[in-house]
Amino acid sequence: MASCVDPLVVGRVIGEVVDPFVPSVSMSVRYGTKHVNNGCNLKPSMSADPPSVQISGRSNDLYSLVMTDPDAPSPSDPTMREWIHWIVVDIPGGSDPSHGKEVVPYMGPRPPVGIHRYVYVLFRQPCPCPAIAPPASRANFSTRAFATQFNLNLPVATVYFNSQKEPMNRKR
């Protein structure tokens, strides 16, 4: 009997960024026409601008969205794990991050070396978030600590993509 292998486990998102969870909300992430599937590859130039994110769920539910890079500055030596790329809170279900409160402005991927994972984690909020101050640094963020601090429990959806530094165009 064949078993299904979870790409979040294979990609070490579960374990390094979040604990095991059961998805309960649908989240669609798109950069232009490119739909983000777990483990797909995107060039930094394709993901320089904020994506289109669509969240299912009831309109009276609120969600928090976190985007991190657990491989900063390099996958073999992630001493800055996790690098925070985006935080939006108080997103109503059935909408997108533009309807929420941006805590940390979007920063597109800029992997200096190696193949980096960029992880979107969605949490259901038990209530509106209090005023949140952005972290002093984007380095050494912890998705788990963020969830604990704001009583978010386990994620309700997660998706990630891979990206690596694009070669410089050579002038001849």
Side-chain angles (χ1 to χ4, degrees):
M1 178 174 189
S3 63
C4 183
V5 179
D6 187 336
L8 295 172
V9 172
V10 173
R12 299 177 333 277
V13 170
I14 290 179
E16 291 183 5
V17 180
V18 297
D19 294 322
F21 71 100
V22 176
S24 59
V25 171
S26 172
M27 177 175 61
S28 171
V29 179
R30 291 185 168 279
Y31 285 96
T33 59
K34 176 72 172 171
H35 183 262
V36 176
N37 294 310
N38 284 322
C40 72
N41 295 313
L42 282 174
K43 294 178 182 178
S45 58
M46 288 179 63
S47 52
D49 296 324
S52 167
V53 179
Q54 205 52 39
I55 299 166
S56 71
R58 299 184 311 240
S59 60
N60 58 338
D61 286 341
L62 293 175
Y63 296 90
S64 290
L65 179 66
V66 173
M67 177 190 177
T68 69
D69 171 2
D71 301 317
S74 98
S76 61
D77 189 24
T79 57
M80 294 180 181
R81 174 180 290 163
E82 303 165 33
W83 184 273
I84 188 67
H85 280 264
W86 199 22
I87 298 178
V88 183
V89 300
D90 295 343
I91 306 167
S95 72
D96 62 68
S98 70
H99 293 94
K101 297 175 191 163
E102 189 173 67
V103 175
V104 175
Y106 181 84
M107 171 190 269
R110 297 180 192 155
V113 64
I115 299 171
H116 288 237
R117 297 165 291 164
Y118 293 89
V119 183
Y120 286 92
V121 183
L122 186 69
F123 296 96
R124 181 177 289 120
Q125 297 175 205
C127 58
C129 273
I132 300 174
S137 167
R138 289 184 182 251
N140 300 306
F141 179 81
S142 169
T143 300
R144 284 184 181 98
F146 176 81
T148 299
Q149 180 180 359
F150 295 104
N151 238 7
L152 300 176
N153 298 315
L154 292 173
V156 294
T158 300
V159 66
Y160 82 100
F161 67 92
N162 297 312
S163 192
Q164 62 184 330
K165 187 174 183 174
E166 293 178 72
M168 298 290 289
N169 289 334
R170 295 181 191 174
K171 293 182 180 179
R172 291 184 182 226

